[in-house]
Amino acid sequence: MALSLKRLFWISLVAATIVYVTMLAWTLPAITRAAGGIAPFDMRPSGYDFGEAQSFLRALTADGRELYLNVQQKLDIAYPAFLALVLGLGIALLCPVRFGSWKWALAAVSVPGSLYDYRENALVRQLLLSDPET
């Protein structure tokens, strides 16, 4: 039995919500506590400068770094994919029939955002693996 687009949308929405709530309720608060109250990189939508990154990395405990690298980053691998599916499928499902195959071009606008998020995650990983003193 083929998986319908509506069913895939709802599965993706539920999965994205579970991953996001897990990050907001568990990993990100735990990482914040492990850094003495300093917000993790993932919770800084306006960005951060070199000094702020160094301060966070210096304050982050070994357990906090471990949680960030091995749990938070894995959750943040799943989340952009689920979110792109939710947004893309939502656009495709809401497009009128007259849009035809153009609806998939419109739905594809969700892909660059997820790719950017993956790039950010890779850069955050490099920061977490670096020596905060340099």
Side-chain angles (χ1 to χ4, degrees), residues 8-10 22-24 28 32 60 65 70 77 91 98 103 108 119 131:
L8 183 57
F9 168 83
W10 286 108
T22 301
M23 290 189 297
L24 285 182
L28 293 169
T32 301
L60 188 61
R65 188 178 303 258
N70 295 311
I77 287 171
I91 290 168
R98 69 177 186 273
K103 72 181 181 182
R119 176 70 177 139
D131 179 0

Side-chain angles (χ1 to χ4, degrees), residues 10 34 36 38 50 55 59 62 74 84 89 108 119-120 123 128 130 132:
W10 286 108
I38 302 172
F50 181 74
S55 293
K74 286 183 175 124
L89 290 170
R119 176 70 177 139
E120 176 199 18
L123 294 171
L128 291 167
S130 71

Side-chain angles (χ1 to χ4, degrees), residues 48-55 134:
Y48 40 87
D49 61 27
F50 181 74
E52 292 169 326
Q54 272 190 318
S55 293
T134 59

Side-chain angles (χ1 to χ4, degrees), residues 26-114:
W26 172 43
T27 56
L28 293 169
I31 292 165
T32 301
R33 284 190 301 276
I38 302 172
F41 299 119
D42 295 300
M43 296 304 290
R44 298 175 185 228
S46 60
Y48 40 87
D49 61 27
F50 181 74
E52 292 169 326
Q54 272 190 318
S55 293
F56 173 77
L57 292 170
R58 284 184 184 131
L60 188 61
T61 64
D63 287 342
R65 188 178 303 258
E66 187 76 16
L67 180 64
Y68 210 144
L69 284 166
N70 295 311
V71 180
Q72 173 60 27
Q73 286 233 302
K74 286 183 175 124
L75 290 169
D76 214 4
I77 287 171
Y79 184 69
F82 287 132
L83 187 59
L85 274 171
V86 168
L87 295 173
L89 290 170
I91 290 168
L93 290 168
L94 290 172
C95 275
V97 174
R98 69 177 186 273
F99 275 54
S101 61
W102 280 99
K103 72 181 181 182
W104 295 111
L106 291 172
V109 301
S110 65
V111 173
S114 65

